[in-house]
Amino acid sequence: MASRGGAEQRKSYEVLSVEEKEQLKKEQTLFFRDGKRRIDYVLVYEVSKKADEDEDEHKRRRKEFEKNLKERHKLDLEPEDESGDGKTCFVKIHAPWDTLTTQAEVMKLKMPIKENDIDEDGASLNCCDKLPSPFTLNEELIPPEADNFTCVFKKNMQNEFIGIENRDEFFNPAERSRMVYELLERCRYDSERENKFGLDILLSKGTYTAAFPLHDGKYTSEHSMLTHGAENDRRLLYEEWARPGRWYKYQPLDLIRRYFGEKIGIYFAWLGYYTGALIPAAIIGLICFIYGCVSMSDNPVQQETCDQEGTGNSTMCPLCNERCGYWVLYDSCIYTQVSLVFDNWATPIITIFMAVWATLFLEFWKRKQFEIQYDWDLFGFEDHEENCRPEFEASAPDTRVNPVTKLEEKWIHGYKKYPRILVAVTGILFMIALVLGCVFGVIIYRIAVSAAIAATGNDFASSYSSLITTCTASVINLTLILILNRIYEKVAVWLTDLEMHRTETVWEDSFTFKMYLFSFVNYYSSIFYIAFFKGSFGGHPGDYQTIFGLRVEECDPGGCLPELCLQLGIIMVGKQAYNNVLEIILPMLLNWWSSRDAKKRQKQLGDEYTRWEQDYDLRPPDRHGLFSEYLEMVLQFGFVTLFVAAFSLAPLFALVNNIIEIRLDAYKFTSQMRRPLAVRAQDIGIWYGILDGVGKLAVVTNAFVIAFTSEFIPRLVYIYNYSENGGLEGYVNNSLSFFNTSDFAEGTAPNDKTYPQTETGVVDICRYKDYRQPPWGVNPYDPTLQFWHVVAAKLAFVIVFEHVVFFLKWLIDYLVPDVPQKVKDQIKRENYLAREALYQVSLEQVQQQQRPSARGGIQVAQPEKHGALGNVTYEASM
């Protein structure tokens, strides 16, 4: 089934007069000079004034290529136009109707054959859909797409298809450009060698500098949409989708797909679905945050830590060797309060919810994806045999006979690829080691800065030393992450090219794996360090561990969770802000720079600034397609799910960012980039597997965050085993151990051994966060029995939590079918209609043949009812 649409399915600009329409048509320069044949594709090349062999070769290739386009592939080409700069030439291409119908049959395009007559189940339950909503699209401008059954286009039965009488609109511009591109990819540019063909190779060799379909016109107009309608789909997309003022509206997915193609349409469908799914997660996270804020003031842990006359007045052991002095526990009052906002009894709730949420999101997206695949006719479409990558053809050392085309082509034997793969693996490991080295450097920075702040003797700075250190270290870490990511992208391209992959699909999969692996380590390594390693190997007073003579940093008595929260927030928000600015500001500046000369000539000399020149001055689509958009969102998905136990506001921040991201991406594609090729795609590809893997890893990381990073388990152990009244009263004092200052190892005792806040001015006993025996115990400073109780409880919690959540994920996966029943029924109905239509055509052909032969007899042929159905078969048994 397909939702077909065009100019007839949206509000047109009928209020314009005939003269105004013709003038607008001329101004938009979307047609050949005759004003009738639409430009489906544009080729661009630059003429060099220098006469050399390379330029002669380029001319020869262009001449042969364009000759074959006209003679062999039956395309119309308009004589080249030279732009105002005197060196850029444009070749406009139009596909006639006969060429389009032939190519549509070859590519097995599915076109509408009958309106959908299946009744919607439960229509009476959807009364809410009939109520007015501020989120729905304006149906006067973007009416609902026609709901039709489709079958594979057949040239000999074209009159059976809906809308065939309007040949100009039967194939939309995205389909036309895709069909023309297929012909461009098959066209030969060397008459002597059969394997020399394809536009992409000519682009890589510099024969052409660019090739692209045209935008439908301007995205702005002096006429109001309300009074004149939309002149073209581009303006309609900009006004109703890309403008910031439309941030609360649903996306016109069918219009996006019709204009940009299925691959971009599926990306925006996934992004919109993901954004909508974040709403309940953001609400739950916000509720947990509010609960933490409200309950924090009544929490005994906060009261005892901030009590300057009670436990909060406990003298704490120095935070660094020699330079740091003694301090009192209530100095960490603010830190403890921040910690309790995120580390409270609601933390396991948001964690379990997000683990289940991730599974529900992926399962229901899978169902949504099947609906999209059916609506957009993406079931069972077959990719053509991919051409070799130009880089592979230029550098591959061997040749072979292609098993599909039976033509000789470039090849590389497996034993020659192994050394290249080894080099690529070594490069990946080196870059990962470089990232870990940077993280280690940031750790050394944190230790050194903490010691330096303590050495200043400034009470204010010392009180906020942990906060200052964490913030500055997070900003430095974010800067290093962004720099390393840019460097590694170039390294990953070089390493993937080194592996010599034959096709673009295999190249993209290898590149995606490398970039995501590196980005995972790059963005998450510092967060993993704070979550699972910081404070675990610092030792205790009298037996501290050191790095380069500096004492290993420890967590605040309030725990490491506030640092983890701050690190996560700075990296997550900083990365998203940086990407959003880079995606919009930079293209706008580059487009202004490239178009300034043409606009100047238009203003001063009255030169026409044609549509193909305007589009050529826009930014070309990214070489890697939608890779950067998907990578940004998948990394965000990791921030939202992997460490939600430490930062319950992550879903809310992600929701706000994605609302902005959708409109920024829409604005970029609609106004700042050339129109990309309308590529078909069935799904989001390899990214679904990555999301599924991150969702499973999130269960493990959150279990360990709750067990080992937060104070949730130690508090439970205290309540059920050591509390006198079953509450948290006395927990802070219970979690602090005693240390005799005379037991400091050489070089670790503070230089200033006095502390005015004690009665004598001399500190004999200081406290530290741990469960160890006191100096007067049987085995001084050995772990206490409570220590082992806490460790056992943590391990038990991890095991139980993981098993429960993984069982829930499995149960959801089992109970939620991948394909909605409605889609199954529609597929069966569509197959039936396609068979009947083909049978009817065959029957009419037989009846025409039932006439007397030249010898007076009658020729009778029986139609084969189930013949020629291979092209319309679906997997209806799903």
Side-chain angles (χ1 to χ4, degrees):
M1 185 182 66
S3 300
R4 309 297 305 177
E8 76 278 6
Q9 288 189 343
R10 59 175 171 81
K11 183 178 179 180
S12 62
Y13 50 110
E14 295 177 353
V15 294
L16 296 178
S17 64
V18 176
E19 293 77 10
E20 287 176 325
K21 289 181 180 179
E22 290 299 322
Q23 180 63 25
L24 182 63
K25 194 174 180 181
K26 179 185 272 188
E27 290 176 357
Q28 291 180 340
T29 56
L30 298 171
F31 296 82
F32 278 12
R33 294 188 185 93
D34 57 16
K36 298 179 180 180
R37 289 175 293 175
R38 184 184 183 90
I39 299 173
D40 296 314
Y41 226 85
V42 175
L43 305 179
V44 187
Y45 63 91
E46 293 185 358
V47 178
S48 176
K49 296 181 179 180
K50 296 181 181 179
D52 53 28
E53 295 182 2
D54 290 341
E55 181 61 26
D56 292 340
E57 181 65 17
H58 290 327
K59 289 181 180 179
R60 186 191 64 79
R61 288 175 183 156
R62 284 196 295 267
K63 182 178 180 181
E64 182 68 22
F65 186 72
E66 293 168 13
K67 174 185 174 184
N68 288 330
L69 287 178
K70 291 187 289 186
E71 296 180 358
R72 299 185 60 178
H73 298 288
K74 309 303 179 183
L75 294 173
D76 293 343
L77 273 64
E78 188 161 77
E80 56 195 43
D81 275 347
E82 193 173 284
S83 66
D85 61 10
K87 63 178 182 179
T88 307
C89 297
F90 299 87
V91 179
K92 284 96 68 181
I93 300 174
H94 167 79
W97 173 254
D98 190 60
T99 302
L100 288 174
T101 53
T102 301
Q103 189 64 12
E105 185 170 358
V106 170
M107 294 176 62
K108 302 178 182 178
L109 290 186
K110 293 170 186 172
M111 308 304 292
I113 196 169
K114 182 179 175 61
E115 290 185 5
N116 186 355
D117 56 1
I118 294 182
D119 295 331
E120 291 286 343
D121 292 334
S124 59
L125 300 177
N126 295 328
C127 297
C128 294
D129 294 341
K130 303 182 183 299
L131 297 176
S133 169
F135 308 112
T136 56
L137 298 168
N138 186 342
E139 293 190 359
E140 293 184 1
L141 295 174
I142 308 178
E145 296 285 337
D147 192 5
N148 300 317
F149 289 119
T150 63
C151 74
V152 174
F153 183 81
K154 294 287 185 181
K155 194 172 182 180
N156 62 350
M157 56 175 286
Q158 58 182 277
N159 292 332
E160 300 293 326
F161 291 93
I162 298 175
I164 194 68
E165 63 279 357
N166 187 359
R167 293 186 173 185
D168 292 337
E169 300 291 344
F170 184 69
F171 298 109
N172 61 51
E175 291 169 334
R176 295 176 66 102
S177 65
R178 186 163 65 245
M179 287 189 280
V180 171
Y181 176 77
E182 289 293 326
L183 295 175
L184 293 172
E185 276 296 280
R186 295 177 185 176
C187 185
R188 290 168 54 183
Y189 58 84
D190 191 327
S191 58
E192 299 178 358
R193 302 179 64 181
E194 292 185 359
N195 63 345
K196 297 294 183 182
F197 59 89
L199 174 64
D200 286 345
I201 295 178
L202 293 179
L203 290 170
S204 69
K205 293 179 180 293
T207 303
Y208 291 103
T209 57
F212 50 88
L214 291 179
H215 278 296
D216 279 359
K218 295 180 179 181
Y219 64 90
T220 57
S221 174
E222 60 184 14
H223 300 294
S224 170
M225 286 260 294
L226 297 176
T227 57
H228 291 72
E231 294 91 341
N232 54 69
D233 283 344
R234 187 188 187 192
R235 190 187 174 203
L236 190 58
L237 283 170
Y238 175 77
E239 294 288 344
E240 295 298 311
W241 177 49
R243 282 200 305 123
R246 294 293 184 265
W247 65 270
Y248 59 93
K249 293 283 189 180
Y250 293 139
Q251 298 186 87
L253 295 177
D254 289 314
L255 184 58
I256 296 169
R257 170 245 182 171
R258 192 169 70 226
Y259 193 82
F260 292 110
E262 287 79 5
K263 191 170 186 176
I264 293 177
I266 284 180
Y267 163 72
F268 280 105
W270 174 82
L271 181 55
Y273 196 83
Y274 169 48
T275 303
L278 282 171
I279 295 176
I283 293 173
I284 297 298
L286 183 61
I287 291 174
C288 291
F289 175 77
I290 294 173
Y291 169 79
C293 293
V294 173
S295 63
M296 179 264 296
S297 59
D298 297 329
N299 194 301
V301 175
Q302 183 270 150
Q303 292 174 347
E304 292 176 6
T305 302
C306 300
D307 182 10
Q308 299 187 25
E309 302 299 328
T311 306
N313 198 38
S314 301
T315 303
M316 305 298 293
C317 297
L319 296 175
C320 64
N321 293 337
E322 299 183 313
R323 296 183 178 181
C324 296
Y326 298 105
W327 57 289
V328 289
L329 180 61
Y330 64 73
D331 285 345
S332 67
C333 176
I334 295 179
Y335 216 69
T336 301
Q337 291 173 340
V338 173
S339 176
L340 291 172
V341 169
F342 297 100
D343 185 9
N344 50 63
W345 301 121
T347 302
I349 297 176
I350 181 66
T351 304
I352 295 175
F353 174 83
M354 288 304 296
V356 175
W357 171 87
T359 303
L360 288 172
F361 162 64
L362 291 174
E363 286 302 316
F364 280 97
W365 164 249
K366 196 187 301 182
R367 289 169 58 86
K368 179 66 175 179
Q369 189 170 257
F370 270 104
E371 292 181 10
I372 292 173
Q373 288 173 353
Y374 177 68
D375 288 342
W376 291 358
D377 292 323
L378 299 176
F379 273 131
F381 86 87
E382 300 176 9
D383 288 327
H384 64 279
E385 172 68 11
E386 284 192 80
N387 295 336
C388 290
R389 296 179 61 247
E391 296 85 355
F392 180 85
E393 185 177 87
S395 56
D398 307 316
T399 58
R400 71 159 187 176
V401 175
N402 187 296
V404 177
T405 64
K406 299 303 180 182
L407 298 175
E408 186 180 64
E409 67 177 7
K410 287 295 188 72
W411 184 250
I412 180 172
H413 292 292
Y415 69 90
K416 294 182 179 179
K417 294 187 69 174
Y418 296 146
R420 297 173 177 272
I421 295 174
L422 180 62
V423 172
V425 171
T426 304
I428 294 172
L429 295 177
F430 171 78
M431 291 301 298
I432 290 176
L434 181 60
V435 171
L436 297 179
C438 290
V439 173
F440 182 75
V442 174
I443 294 172
I444 298 299
Y445 165 83
R446 295 164 65 100
I447 297 172
V449 170
S450 295
I453 292 176
T456 61
N458 187 303
D459 292 338
F460 177 81
S462 298
S463 299
Y464 293 95
S465 63
S466 186
L467 182 63
I468 295 171
T469 303
T470 301
C471 289
T472 55
S474 299
V475 172
I476 292 173
N477 193 37
L478 174 62
T479 304
L480 290 174
I481 285 172
L482 297 176
I483 293 173
L484 287 175
N485 222 50
R486 289 289 175 183
I487 295 174
Y488 185 73
E489 183 175 353
K490 299 183 183 300
V491 173
V493 170
W494 179 77
L495 291 176
T496 310
D497 286 340
L498 184 67
E499 293 172 345
M500 295 189 68
H501 297 293
R502 177 178 171 271
T503 64
E504 194 67 29
T505 299
V506 179
W507 189 96
E508 287 180 358
D509 288 344
S510 179
F511 175 75
T512 299
F513 171 77
K514 292 183 182 67
M515 279 301 300
Y516 182 75
L517 177 62
F518 175 80
S519 298
F520 186 93
V521 177
N522 194 24
Y523 281 98
Y524 301 143
S525 55
S526 61
I527 300 174
F528 270 96
Y529 161 73
I530 296 175
F532 305 121
F533 298 104
K534 183 179 179 182
S536 301
F537 308 102
H540 59 87
D543 187 23
Y544 288 122
Q545 303 299 318
T546 60
I547 300 177
F548 303 133
L550 298 172
R551 203 173 92 187
V552 175
E553 62 178 341
E554 305 170 33
C555 293
D556 186 87
C560 282
L561 205 63
E563 288 187 52
L564 179 60
C565 174
L566 193 59
Q567 179 89 358
L568 182 65
I570 289 177
I571 293 178
M572 178 182 175
V573 176
K575 176 190 76 71
Q576 293 173 345
Y578 170 79
N579 287 337
N580 288 339
V581 171
L582 194 65
E583 288 179 1
I584 296 299
I585 302 301
L586 185 59
M588 290 179 66
L589 292 175
L590 293 175
N591 289 338
W592 169 80
W593 181 262
S594 59
S595 62
R596 70 193 192 286
D597 290 339
K599 291 180 178 179
K600 184 178 180 181
R601 288 194 301 271
Q602 182 186 29
K603 184 177 181 180
Q604 296 180 350
L605 305 177
D607 290 352
E608 184 180 21
Y609 193 21
T610 60
R611 169 51 45 198
W612 49 86
E613 288 179 299
Q614 294 178 46
D615 285 8
Y616 182 59
D617 288 336
L618 296 177
R619 291 299 91 199
D622 191 276
R623 174 191 173 185
H624 308 309
L626 295 168
F627 169 80
S628 59
E629 280 78 11
Y630 274 118
L631 179 63
E632 180 182 354
M633 289 297 104
V634 172
L635 287 173
Q636 183 203 86
F637 182 81
F639 284 120
V640 169
T641 56
L642 290 174
F643 304 101
V644 70
F647 190 41
S648 58
L649 291 179
L652 178 62
F653 284 1
L655 174 64
V656 174
N657 172 81
N658 287 4
I659 292 174
I660 300 172
E661 179 75 20
I662 289 176
R663 305 305 159 177
L664 289 180
D665 282 347
Y667 178 78
K668 178 178 66 175
F669 278 103
T670 306
S671 64
Q672 301 301 311
M673 289 176 56
R674 296 175 193 161
R675 189 173 186 171
L677 177 67
V679 180
R680 289 171 69 84
Q682 284 184 300
D683 46 42
I684 62 175
I686 193 176
W687 297 108
Y688 184 88
I690 293 176
L691 290 170
D692 187 48
V694 171
K696 290 180 171 64
L697 180 62
V699 178
V700 180
T701 57
N702 283 296
F704 276 90
V705 167
I706 294 176
F708 290 93
T709 307
S710 76
E711 293 291 308
F712 180 76
I713 299 300
R715 291 170 192 161
L716 280 182
V717 172
Y718 176 78
I719 289 174
Y720 288 105
N721 291 279
Y722 299 94
S723 175
E724 295 179 356
N725 59 0
L728 284 174
E729 288 78 9
Y731 170 76
V732 176
N733 186 63
N734 174 266
S735 64
L736 298 177
S737 297
F738 296 89
F739 179 75
N740 192 325
T741 58
S742 63
D743 294 333
F744 273 119
E746 184 179 354
T748 62
N751 295 330
D752 184 6
K753 296 180 174 56
T754 63
Y755 193 58
Q757 301 212 20
T758 61
E759 294 181 0
T760 61
V762 177
V763 177
D764 296 319
I765 297 293
C766 63
R767 310 290 296 274
Y768 62 98
K769 182 80 171 179
D770 209 341
Y771 296 101
R772 293 184 179 273
Q773 295 186 27
W776 54 84
V778 178
N779 298 303
Y781 310 127
D782 282 355
T784 63
L785 183 61
Q786 186 176 355
F787 172 86
W788 298 113
H789 285 169
V790 171
V791 171
K794 288 180 176 179
L795 295 176
F797 174 83
V798 169
I799 294 173
V800 172
F801 182 89
E802 288 181 354
H803 280 72
V804 169
V805 176
F806 276 125
F807 173 75
L808 290 175
K809 290 170 72 70
W810 171 84
L811 186 64
I812 293 169
D813 187 34
Y814 177 78
L815 294 177
V816 179
D818 292 344
V819 184
Q821 185 61 42
K822 179 182 70 173
V823 175
K824 292 181 181 179
D825 294 340
Q826 289 177 331
I827 290 175
K828 293 175 183 178
R829 172 67 175 163
E830 186 168 293
N831 283 334
Y832 170 77
L833 291 174
R835 287 194 298 268
E836 290 300 314
L838 289 175
Y839 176 72
Q840 188 63 34
V841 172
S842 300
L843 185 63
E844 291 175 359
Q845 292 176 349
V846 169
Q847 291 174 347
Q848 292 177 1
Q849 295 173 4
Q850 291 179 343
R851 59 183 185 275
S853 64
R855 299 180 180 181
I858 296 178
Q859 297 178 346
V860 179
Q862 295 295 328
E864 185 178 355
K865 187 168 183 175
H866 298 290
L869 295 180
N871 292 338
V872 296
T873 300
Y874 292 96
E875 290 290 338
S877 61
M878 288 181 292

